[in-house]
Amino acid sequence: ELVAFFQPKCLAGQRVLITAGPTFEAIDPVRGITNLSSGKMGFAIARAAQEAGAEVTLVAGPVHLPTPRHVTRIDVQSALQLHDAVLPLAAGHDVFVATAAVADWRPADCGAQKIKKDGSGRAPSVAMTENPDILAEVARLPARPYCVGFAAESHDLAKHAREKRQRKNVPLIVGNIGPSTFGRDDNTLLLVDEQGERKLPSASKLHLARALVAEIATRLGAAKP
Ligand code: C5P
């Protein structure tokens, strides 16, 4: 509470919605497809936004992290559940930060029973279908919040982040190198907006989250005359 008390209240009165962590796409009742996102960056942003005076809702995929103090948390598993949790809430928020590593595809059918080996030596083929793009859908809402997307890349970070900003039609994309940061407590961020690029050099995720929250607050001030 003391640490929180001394943070600048740059998001006082703002409502912030955040997605974090991976999604889990079931293949059958005991198996599924997921990814290496730990949720740490999104949880750090939730904490930083709350400490900056915002009312924060955090929609989290399957992660092993404690809920930041005074943050409302909704737990989900799959991309569709994340979508169904976020969409009704989005228009009631001022800021939407999409840090979740949402699976691009899900198995088309999740059978009620475990798929068994049949002794033939052949692996079953799993048909996949594309998941909805939650960030792009939120960005299309008539009463859209200020949207911040993340780009977890392995190479050409600035180029991919710029393309993603255009494709998803969001004002701010935060790039990071996925394999260097997944599961770790530190990160390096590249902020890409209409004006250009700004690097936030290597630091703890909480430190970067506080810097990002300050950057969002500045842009929000500019966005709302
Ligand atoms: O291009 P890509 O889909 O990987 O963009 C990543 C950004 O979009 C992240 O902010 C992520 O949270 C968001 N996203 C989403 N729904 C998806 C895929 C990605 O909200 N289905």
Side-chain angles (χ1 to χ4, degrees), residues 19 98-100 102-104 131-135 149-150 164 167-168:
T19 67
T99 50
V102 185
D104 290 317
N131 275 324
D133 190 318
I134 299 155
L135 175 58
F150 264 69
K164 210 158 280 195
R167 183 157 38 87
K168 306 217 177 202

Side-chain angles (χ1 to χ4, degrees), residues 18-209:
I18 299 168
T19 67
T23 64
F24 178 88
E25 312 297 327
I27 295 174
D28 69 16
V30 298
R31 307 183 181 94
I33 298 168
T34 187
N35 61 65
L36 292 174
S37 168
S38 64
K40 285 180 178 176
M41 193 68 232
F43 274 58
I45 295 167
R47 174 178 167 179
Q50 194 281 327
E51 291 181 356
E55 194 184 307
V56 179
T57 304
L58 174 61
V59 187
V63 296
H64 301 278
L65 293 172
T67 309
R69 296 169 69 76
H70 311 301
V71 164
T72 303
R73 174 171 174 178
I74 300 169
D75 284 320
V76 298
Q77 294 272 317
S78 67
L80 285 184
Q81 289 169 353
L82 187 69
H83 173 272
D84 292 351
V86 163
L87 262 293
L89 295 177
H93 285 78
D94 303 290
V95 181
F96 176 54
V97 187
T99 50
V102 185
D104 290 317
W105 306 280
R106 66 178 181 275
D109 302 297
C110 173
Q113 295 186 349
K114 182 182 172 187
I115 303 168
K116 303 295 290 178
K117 273 189 279 196
D118 62 7
S120 68
R122 282 194 309 271
S125 56
V126 179
M128 305 287 276
T129 184
E130 193 172 292
N131 275 324
D133 190 318
I134 299 155
L135 175 58
E137 266 190 52
V138 171
R140 280 196 296 268
L141 292 173
R144 73 174 194 167
Y146 182 84
C147 289
V148 182
F150 264 69
E153 305 294 341
S154 59
H155 61 286
D156 289 338
L157 185 55
K159 176 173 171 283
H160 289 306
R162 273 196 304 272
E163 284 168 5
K164 210 158 280 195
R165 204 184 80 81
Q166 299 278 331
R167 183 157 38 87
K168 306 217 177 202
N169 190 27
V170 296
L172 178 61
I173 284 279
V174 182
N176 57 179
I177 299 292
S180 333
T181 190
F182 277 171
R184 294 178 56 106
D185 290 326
D186 58 341
N187 200 358
T188 303
L189 301 181
L190 183 73
L191 274 50
V192 178
D193 68 5
E194 203 180 19
Q195 265 73 50
E197 288 152 28
R198 167 135 195 249
K199 192 172 173 179
L200 301 183
S202 180
S204 74
K205 287 184 176 175
L206 183 57
H207 181 95
L208 290 170

Side-chain angles (χ1 to χ4, degrees), residues 1-10 47-48 50-53 206 210:
E1 291 292 345
L2 277 171
V3 170
F5 179 82
F6 287 106
Q7 298 308 312
K9 303 299 169 205
C10 57
R47 174 178 167 179
Q50 194 281 327
E51 291 181 356
L206 183 57
R210 288 189 172 132

